[in-house]
Amino acid sequence: YSPELVSTLASSGKPVFVDFTADWCITCKANEARVFSSEEVLETMERQGVALVKADWTKRDPVITKALEKFGRSGVPLYLLYDGKGGEPMVLPQLLGPGRVLEALAEIE
């Protein structure tokens, strides 16, 4: 993860999903199991050409900490969806399900 990578991908016209997570985060693991094991979510992301970026905060990386603070967060999880059109990202809920991700993807299609 780097802010520059996300900016480059998002400004290239490509949707970007950023997953701020950590190995010790129980909520993150539950969301990963529910959302990222969903065939429908994965197929929709692939069809829409969504770039997946993981921001691993397991070791409390200061660059990731700064990004979290920018969105008013002091920890993980944080999920951002950039539409690839240069706007601000959509901030998704901390408790995530496949339906909510699919709704967000439909909004940017």
Side-chain angles (χ1 to χ4, degrees), residues 1 6-7 10 14-20 67 70-71 73 78-93 100 104 107-108:
Y1 167 84
V6 173
S7 179
K14 184 176 203 135
V16 182
F17 186 93
V18 185
D19 173 8
F20 290 84
K70 177 181 173 186
F71 291 95
R73 300 289 175 85
L78 172 63
Y79 304 102
L80 303 176
L81 180 60
Y82 291 81
D83 63 9
K85 299 173 187 153
E88 286 296 309
M90 182 183 310
V91 179
L92 298 174
R100 181 61 189 106
E107 287 180 39
I108 67 163

Side-chain angles (χ1 to χ4, degrees), residues 34-109:
R34 288 186 64 207
V35 174
F36 299 110
S37 65
S38 164
E39 256 183 63
E40 189 176 5
V41 168
L42 296 175
E43 287 172 1
T44 302
M45 285 185 163
E46 185 176 330
R47 181 175 43 77
Q48 288 184 231
V50 176
L52 298 172
V53 176
K54 184 175 272 195
D56 186 351
W57 199 52
T58 301
K59 296 182 181 179
R60 309 248 180 184
D61 180 295
V63 172
I64 295 172
T65 300
K66 187 174 179 180
L68 290 166
E69 289 170 352
K70 177 181 173 186
F71 291 95
R73 300 289 175 85
S74 59
V76 292
L78 172 63
Y79 304 102
L80 303 176
L81 180 60
Y82 291 81
D83 63 9
K85 299 173 187 153
E88 286 296 309
M90 182 183 310
V91 179
L92 298 174
Q94 288 183 305
L95 295 175
L96 208 53
R100 181 61 189 106
V101 174
L102 291 169
E103 287 172 13
L105 293 168
E107 287 180 39
I108 67 163
E109 198 165 27

